Amino acid sequence: MGQMIDIAALNGEGSFKAYRADPAGAPTAAIIVIQEVFGVNPGIRQKCDRLAEQGYLAIAPDLFWRIAPGVELNPDVPEELQRGLDLFGKFDQDAGIRDIEATIHATRALLGGSGKIGAVGYCLGGRLAFMTACRTDIDASVGYYGVGIDGLLGEKHAIANPVLLHIAGEDGFVDKATQQKMHEGLDDHPKVTLYDYPGEDHGFATEMGDRRSPAAADLADQRTADFFAEHLK
């Protein structure tokens, strides 16, 4: 359904690839899909395709273009999982936010200068979705099992538009203490909604593979769809 396009980075840094999925008709709005540590792999492209089926223009930028352009990893293969974790350690998150900002600009142009833009991210992308809400003018943001969000709470005052966070109760990368800090820091924020998924592990809403937990994934995805329908359309 989709195709790869080029997006100009900010400040003359070059350009990077992004996967683009278009709806059958004119898009109602656009959603930027922010990758896990496994690149713009088949699962992320399928996320875009599903959003296009819902009427959105969906764009997934290759945020690892500076360190491993075009990388696609399978988290169910131990060696590839480890490579994803290694890339996470090398990834410049501030540069990643600049690339998301560039993607927002490019997407707005594709929409003809009007229309709302949302973001949804997973794992690393869940963290970056929260950062995007704090640091850009994105209209709505969703983060699935974002890592290290407790360390970003000092930026929450900058959140101006709605944010939805999905928290896996048994997340191997986000322990109970971190989850508690997220609730303590964000439960009273007027723009932020948190949902907990007891018993679920990191990656429960992946499109495919061993990590997927169908019932929890369907519930989280329906909440995301309702959230975007309310705030983007």
Side-chain angles (χ1 to χ4, degrees), residues 10 12 28 65 92 115-116 121 145 149 197 229:
L10 301 181
T28 55
W65 67 280
D92 183 334
K116 293 186 175 182
Y145 28 85
I149 290 177
Y197 298 81

Side-chain angles (χ1 to χ4, degrees), residues 35-39 62-73 80-93 124:
Q35 66 181 67
E36 297 179 279
V37 297
F38 311 114
D62 176 11
L63 299 180
F64 281 174
W65 67 280
R66 292 179 175 86
I67 54 175
V71 69
E72 296 185 30
L73 302 173
E80 296 190 26
L81 170 62
Q82 185 57 53
R83 189 179 180 209
L85 296 175
D86 292 343
L87 289 171
F88 174 71
K90 299 175 182 177
F91 178 61
D92 183 334
Q93 296 181 34
L124 165 64

Side-chain angles (χ1 to χ4, degrees), residues 5-17 62 65-66 95 98-99 102-103 106:
I5 62 172
D6 291 302
I7 293 179
L10 301 181
N11 305 323
E13 294 180 277
S15 65
F16 54 91
K17 297 291 185 181
D62 176 11
W65 67 280
R66 292 179 175 86
R98 292 199 302 273
D99 293 337
T103 305

